[in-house]
PDB file of all heavy atoms in Angstrom:
ATOM      1  N   GLN A   6       4.490 -11.136   7.739  1.00  0.00           N
ATOM      2  CA  GLN A   6       3.414 -12.039   7.344  1.00  0.00           C
ATOM      3  C   GLN A   6       4.084 -13.389   7.120  1.00  0.00           C
ATOM      4  O   GLN A   6       4.704 -13.606   6.081  1.00  0.00           O
ATOM      5  CB  GLN A   6       2.710 -11.525   6.082  1.00  0.00           C
ATOM      6  CG  GLN A   6       1.962 -10.219   6.313  1.00  0.00           C
ATOM      7  CD  GLN A   6       1.228  -9.738   5.083  1.00  0.00           C
ATOM      8  OE1 GLN A   6       1.514  -8.669   4.548  1.00  0.00           O
ATOM      9  NE2 GLN A   6       0.265 -10.512   4.617  1.00  0.00           N
ATOM     10  N   THR A  20      -7.810 -17.608   8.222  1.00  0.00           N
ATOM     11  CA  THR A  20      -6.989 -16.689   9.013  1.00  0.00           C
ATOM     12  C   THR A  20      -5.723 -16.375   8.232  1.00  0.00           C
ATOM     13  O   THR A  20      -5.053 -17.290   7.752  1.00  0.00           O
ATOM     14  CB  THR A  20      -6.601 -17.292  10.368  1.00  0.00           C
ATOM     15  OG1 THR A  20      -7.787 -17.554  11.126  1.00  0.00           O
ATOM     16  CG2 THR A  20      -5.716 -16.325  11.148  1.00  0.00           C
ATOM     17  N   TYR A  25       3.570  -7.307  14.048  1.00  0.00           N
ATOM     18  CA  TYR A  25       4.161  -6.007  13.754  1.00  0.00           C
ATOM     19  C   TYR A  25       5.145  -5.615  14.850  1.00  0.00           C
ATOM     20  O   TYR A  25       5.138  -6.174  15.944  1.00  0.00           O
ATOM     21  CB  TYR A  25       3.071  -4.940  13.620  1.00  0.00           C
ATOM     22  CG  TYR A  25       2.361  -4.688  14.924  1.00  0.00           C
ATOM     23  CD1 TYR A  25       2.826  -3.735  15.821  1.00  0.00           C
ATOM     24  CD2 TYR A  25       1.246  -5.444  15.282  1.00  0.00           C
ATOM     25  CE1 TYR A  25       2.203  -3.532  17.036  1.00  0.00           C
ATOM     26  CE2 TYR A  25       0.612  -5.254  16.493  1.00  0.00           C
ATOM     27  CZ  TYR A  25       1.088  -4.299  17.364  1.00  0.00           C
ATOM     28  OH  TYR A  25       0.472  -4.108  18.569  1.00  0.00           O
ATOM     29  N   PRO A  31       0.422   1.476  17.494  1.00  0.00           N
ATOM     30  CA  PRO A  31       0.265   1.271  16.051  1.00  0.00           C
ATOM     31  C   PRO A  31      -1.074   1.720  15.468  1.00  0.00           C
ATOM     32  O   PRO A  31      -2.109   1.630  16.122  1.00  0.00           O
ATOM     33  CB  PRO A  31       0.364  -0.245  15.921  1.00  0.00           C
ATOM     34  CG  PRO A  31      -0.286  -0.740  17.182  1.00  0.00           C
ATOM     35  CD  PRO A  31       0.063   0.271  18.255  1.00  0.00           C
ATOM     36  N   TYR A  36      -4.993  -4.598   3.485  1.00  0.00           N
ATOM     37  CA  TYR A  36      -5.362  -4.306   2.105  1.00  0.00           C
ATOM     38  C   TYR A  36      -5.386  -5.616   1.328  1.00  0.00           C
ATOM     39  O   TYR A  36      -4.667  -6.559   1.656  1.00  0.00           O
ATOM     40  CB  TYR A  36      -4.336  -3.379   1.451  1.00  0.00           C
ATOM     41  CG  TYR A  36      -4.391  -1.942   1.893  1.00  0.00           C
ATOM     42  CD1 TYR A  36      -3.713  -1.512   3.029  1.00  0.00           C
ATOM     43  CD2 TYR A  36      -5.124  -0.999   1.168  1.00  0.00           C
ATOM     44  CE1 TYR A  36      -3.753  -0.184   3.432  1.00  0.00           C
ATOM     45  CE2 TYR A  36      -5.164   0.345   1.558  1.00  0.00           C
ATOM     46  CZ  TYR A  36      -4.486   0.735   2.692  1.00  0.00           C
ATOM     47  OH  TYR A  36      -4.525   2.045   3.082  1.00  0.00           O
ATOM     48  N   TYR A  39      -5.981  -7.636  -6.065  1.00  0.00           N
ATOM     49  CA  TYR A  39      -6.330  -8.582  -7.111  1.00  0.00           C
ATOM     50  C   TYR A  39      -5.376  -8.394  -8.287  1.00  0.00           C
ATOM     51  O   TYR A  39      -4.771  -7.327  -8.425  1.00  0.00           O
ATOM     52  CB  TYR A  39      -7.786  -8.385  -7.532  1.00  0.00           C
ATOM     53  CG  TYR A  39      -8.757  -8.706  -6.418  1.00  0.00           C
ATOM     54  CD1 TYR A  39      -9.280  -7.696  -5.617  1.00  0.00           C
ATOM     55  CD2 TYR A  39      -9.122 -10.021  -6.152  1.00  0.00           C
ATOM     56  CE1 TYR A  39     -10.144  -7.991  -4.578  1.00  0.00           C
ATOM     57  CE2 TYR A  39      -9.992 -10.322  -5.115  1.00  0.00           C
ATOM     58  CZ  TYR A  39     -10.493  -9.293  -4.329  1.00  0.00           C
ATOM     59  OH  TYR A  39     -11.344  -9.585  -3.294  1.00  0.00           O
ATOM     60  N   LEU A  44      -4.122  -1.705  -4.553  1.00  0.00           N
ATOM     61  CA  LEU A  44      -4.527  -2.228  -3.262  1.00  0.00           C
ATOM     62  C   LEU A  44      -5.895  -1.658  -2.870  1.00  0.00           C
ATOM     63  O   LEU A  44      -6.127  -0.457  -2.985  1.00  0.00           O
ATOM     64  CB  LEU A  44      -3.506  -1.849  -2.187  1.00  0.00           C
ATOM     65  CG  LEU A  44      -2.278  -2.738  -2.073  1.00  0.00           C
ATOM     66  CD1 LEU A  44      -1.377  -2.579  -3.271  1.00  0.00           C
ATOM     67  CD2 LEU A  44      -1.517  -2.431  -0.793  1.00  0.00           C
ATOM     68  N   PHE A  46      -8.555  -1.135   0.243  1.00  0.00           N
ATOM     69  CA  PHE A  46      -8.619  -1.075   1.691  1.00  0.00           C
ATOM     70  C   PHE A  46      -9.681  -2.040   2.218  1.00  0.00           C
ATOM     71  O   PHE A  46     -10.808  -2.080   1.703  1.00  0.00           O
ATOM     72  CB  PHE A  46      -8.944   0.358   2.107  1.00  0.00           C
ATOM     73  CG  PHE A  46      -9.298   0.538   3.550  1.00  0.00           C
ATOM     74  CD1 PHE A  46      -8.321   0.450   4.524  1.00  0.00           C
ATOM     75  CD2 PHE A  46     -10.604   0.788   3.921  1.00  0.00           C
ATOM     76  CE1 PHE A  46      -8.646   0.623   5.860  1.00  0.00           C
ATOM     77  CE2 PHE A  46     -10.942   0.963   5.251  1.00  0.00           C
ATOM     78  CZ  PHE A  46      -9.963   0.883   6.234  1.00  0.00           C
ATOM     79  N   TYR A  50      -7.269  -0.635  12.256  1.00  0.00           N
ATOM     80  CA  TYR A  50      -7.349  -0.425  13.696  1.00  0.00           C
ATOM     81  C   TYR A  50      -6.649   0.890  14.009  1.00  0.00           C
ATOM     82  O   TYR A  50      -5.481   1.075  13.667  1.00  0.00           O
ATOM     83  CB  TYR A  50      -6.679  -1.564  14.472  1.00  0.00           C
ATOM     84  CG  TYR A  50      -6.568  -1.245  15.946  1.00  0.00           C
ATOM     85  CD1 TYR A  50      -7.660  -1.427  16.793  1.00  0.00           C
ATOM     86  CD2 TYR A  50      -5.396  -0.722  16.476  1.00  0.00           C
ATOM     87  CE1 TYR A  50      -7.569  -1.100  18.132  1.00  0.00           C
ATOM     88  CE2 TYR A  50      -5.302  -0.400  17.812  1.00  0.00           C
ATOM     89  CZ  TYR A  50      -6.387  -0.585  18.637  1.00  0.00           C
ATOM     90  OH  TYR A  50      -6.311  -0.249  19.966  1.00  0.00           O
ATOM     91  N   THR A  52      -7.929   2.855  17.235  1.00  0.00           N
ATOM     92  CA  THR A  52      -8.031   2.844  18.679  1.00  0.00           C
ATOM     93  C   THR A  52      -9.367   2.221  19.039  1.00  0.00           C
ATOM     94  O   THR A  52     -10.194   1.976  18.172  1.00  0.00           O
ATOM     95  CB  THR A  52      -7.932   4.279  19.247  1.00  0.00           C
ATOM     96  OG1 THR A  52      -7.857   4.217  20.672  1.00  0.00           O
ATOM     97  CG2 THR A  52      -9.153   5.101  18.866  1.00  0.00           C
ATOM     98  N   LEU A  56     -11.528  -5.738  18.224  1.00  0.00           N
ATOM     99  CA  LEU A  56     -12.067  -6.461  17.074  1.00  0.00           C
ATOM    100  C   LEU A  56     -12.601  -5.448  16.068  1.00  0.00           C
ATOM    101  O   LEU A  56     -13.521  -4.693  16.355  1.00  0.00           O
ATOM    102  CB  LEU A  56     -13.172  -7.423  17.507  1.00  0.00           C
ATOM    103  CG  LEU A  56     -13.753  -8.294  16.393  1.00  0.00           C
ATOM    104  CD1 LEU A  56     -12.681  -9.222  15.826  1.00  0.00           C
ATOM    105  CD2 LEU A  56     -14.945  -9.097  16.905  1.00  0.00           C
ATOM    106  N   HIS A  75      -4.230 -10.355  13.137  1.00  0.00           N
ATOM    107  CA  HIS A  75      -4.595 -11.397  12.178  1.00  0.00           C
ATOM    108  C   HIS A  75      -5.923 -11.098  11.503  1.00  0.00           C
ATOM    109  O   HIS A  75      -6.886 -10.677  12.161  1.00  0.00           O
ATOM    110  CB  HIS A  75      -4.669 -12.758  12.863  1.00  0.00           C
ATOM    111  CG  HIS A  75      -3.394 -13.184  13.531  1.00  0.00           C
ATOM    112  ND1 HIS A  75      -2.151 -12.815  13.080  1.00  0.00           N
ATOM    113  CD2 HIS A  75      -3.202 -13.956  14.636  1.00  0.00           C
ATOM    114  CE1 HIS A  75      -1.223 -13.337  13.860  1.00  0.00           C
ATOM    115  NE2 HIS A  75      -1.821 -14.030  14.817  1.00  0.00           N
ATOM    116  N   LEU A  82     -14.916 -17.479   0.559  1.00  0.00           N
ATOM    117  CA  LEU A  82     -15.483 -17.581  -0.782  1.00  0.00           C
ATOM    118  C   LEU A  82     -14.353 -17.728  -1.791  1.00  0.00           C
ATOM    119  O   LEU A  82     -13.250 -17.197  -1.578  1.00  0.00           O
ATOM    120  CB  LEU A  82     -16.276 -16.315  -1.123  1.00  0.00           C
ATOM    121  CG  LEU A  82     -17.465 -15.980  -0.231  1.00  0.00           C
ATOM    122  CD1 LEU A  82     -18.024 -14.613  -0.615  1.00  0.00           C
ATOM    123  CD2 LEU A  82     -18.533 -17.051  -0.329  1.00  0.00           C
ATOM    124  N   SER A  86      -9.992 -15.212  -3.097  1.00  0.00           N
ATOM    125  CA  SER A  86      -8.637 -15.559  -3.524  1.00  0.00           C
ATOM    126  C   SER A  86      -7.939 -14.319  -4.075  1.00  0.00           C
ATOM    127  O   SER A  86      -8.404 -13.706  -5.040  1.00  0.00           O
ATOM    128  CB  SER A  86      -8.678 -16.646  -4.597  1.00  0.00           C
ATOM    129  OG  SER A  86      -9.262 -17.833  -4.098  1.00  0.00           O
ATOM    130  N   ALA A  87      -6.852 -13.934  -3.443  1.00  0.00           N
ATOM    131  CA  ALA A  87      -6.133 -12.700  -3.798  1.00  0.00           C
ATOM    132  C   ALA A  87      -4.882 -12.619  -2.933  1.00  0.00           C
ATOM    133  O   ALA A  87      -4.571 -13.518  -2.156  1.00  0.00           O
ATOM    134  CB  ALA A  87      -7.022 -11.479  -3.575  1.00  0.00           C
ATOM    135  N   ALA A  92      -0.284  -3.749   7.037  1.00  0.00           N
ATOM    136  CA  ALA A  92       0.579  -2.565   7.083  1.00  0.00           C
ATOM    137  C   ALA A  92       0.458  -1.898   8.447  1.00  0.00           C
ATOM    138  O   ALA A  92      -0.581  -1.974   9.101  1.00  0.00           O
ATOM    139  CB  ALA A  92       0.205  -1.581   5.973  1.00  0.00           C
ATOM    140  N   ASP A  97       2.748   7.294  17.268  1.00  0.00           N
ATOM    141  CA  ASP A  97       3.424   8.259  18.134  1.00  0.00           C
ATOM    142  C   ASP A  97       4.621   8.922  17.463  1.00  0.00           C
ATOM    143  O   ASP A  97       5.322   9.720  18.088  1.00  0.00           O
ATOM    144  CB  ASP A  97       3.865   7.555  19.418  1.00  0.00           C
ATOM    145  CG  ASP A  97       2.682   6.982  20.181  1.00  0.00           C
ATOM    146  OD1 ASP A  97       1.608   7.625  20.161  1.00  0.00           O
ATOM    147  OD2 ASP A  97       2.809   5.897  20.753  1.00  0.00           O
ATOM    148  N   ASN A  98       4.870   8.575  16.230  1.00  0.00           N
ATOM    149  CA  ASN A  98       5.929   9.231  15.462  1.00  0.00           C
ATOM    150  C   ASN A  98       5.290   9.765  14.182  1.00  0.00           C
ATOM    151  O   ASN A  98       5.143   9.038  13.205  1.00  0.00           O
ATOM    152  CB  ASN A  98       7.056   8.245  15.151  1.00  0.00           C
ATOM    153  CG  ASN A  98       7.859   7.904  16.392  1.00  0.00           C
ATOM    154  OD1 ASN A  98       8.717   8.660  16.815  1.00  0.00           O
ATOM    155  ND2 ASN A  98       7.576   6.761  16.979  1.00  0.00           N
ATOM    156  N   PHE A 105       4.634  -1.960   4.841  1.00  0.00           N
ATOM    157  CA  PHE A 105       3.856  -3.135   4.451  1.00  0.00           C
ATOM    158  C   PHE A 105       4.626  -4.418   4.715  1.00  0.00           C
ATOM    159  O   PHE A 105       5.859  -4.459   4.643  1.00  0.00           O
ATOM    160  CB  PHE A 105       3.523  -3.080   2.956  1.00  0.00           C
ATOM    161  CG  PHE A 105       2.447  -2.098   2.610  1.00  0.00           C
ATOM    162  CD1 PHE A 105       2.756  -0.757   2.396  1.00  0.00           C
ATOM    163  CD2 PHE A 105       1.122  -2.493   2.487  1.00  0.00           C
ATOM    164  CE1 PHE A 105       1.766   0.161   2.080  1.00  0.00           C
ATOM    165  CE2 PHE A 105       0.130  -1.590   2.163  1.00  0.00           C
ATOM    166  CZ  PHE A 105       0.451  -0.266   1.964  1.00  0.00           C
ATOM    167  N   GLY A 106       3.868  -5.483   4.966  1.00  0.00           N
ATOM    168  CA  GLY A 106       4.445  -6.811   4.970  1.00  0.00           C
ATOM    169  C   GLY A 106       4.642  -7.304   3.550  1.00  0.00           C
ATOM    170  O   GLY A 106       4.276  -6.627   2.584  1.00  0.00           O
ATOM    171  N   THR A 109       0.519 -12.146   1.682  1.00  0.00           N
ATOM    172  CA  THR A 109       0.127 -13.553   1.789  1.00  0.00           C
ATOM    173  C   THR A 109      -0.893 -13.835   0.701  1.00  0.00           C
ATOM    174  O   THR A 109      -1.895 -13.126   0.594  1.00  0.00           O
ATOM    175  CB  THR A 109      -0.501 -13.860   3.157  1.00  0.00           C
ATOM    176  OG1 THR A 109       0.456 -13.627   4.178  1.00  0.00           O
ATOM    177  CG2 THR A 109      -0.980 -15.316   3.216  1.00  0.00           C
ATOM    178  N   VAL A 113      -8.604 -19.948  -2.169  1.00  0.00           N
ATOM    179  CA  VAL A 113      -9.825 -20.599  -1.701  1.00  0.00           C
ATOM    180  C   VAL A 113     -10.296 -21.542  -2.787  1.00  0.00           C
ATOM    181  O   VAL A 113     -10.579 -21.119  -3.914  1.00  0.00           O
ATOM    182  CB  VAL A 113     -10.921 -19.572  -1.365  1.00  0.00           C
ATOM    183  CG1 VAL A 113     -12.166 -20.281  -0.832  1.00  0.00           C
ATOM    184  CG2 VAL A 113     -10.414 -18.544  -0.365  1.00  0.00           C
TER     185      VAL A 113
END
Side-chain angles (χ1 to χ4, degrees):
Chain A
Q6 294 182 242
T20 298
Y25 66 89
Y36 286 86
Y39 295 97
L44 277 69
F46 169 73
Y50 171 81
T52 188
L56 183 63
H75 302 329
L82 299 173
S86 298
D97 300 325
N98 289 280
F105 285 85
T109 298
V113 182

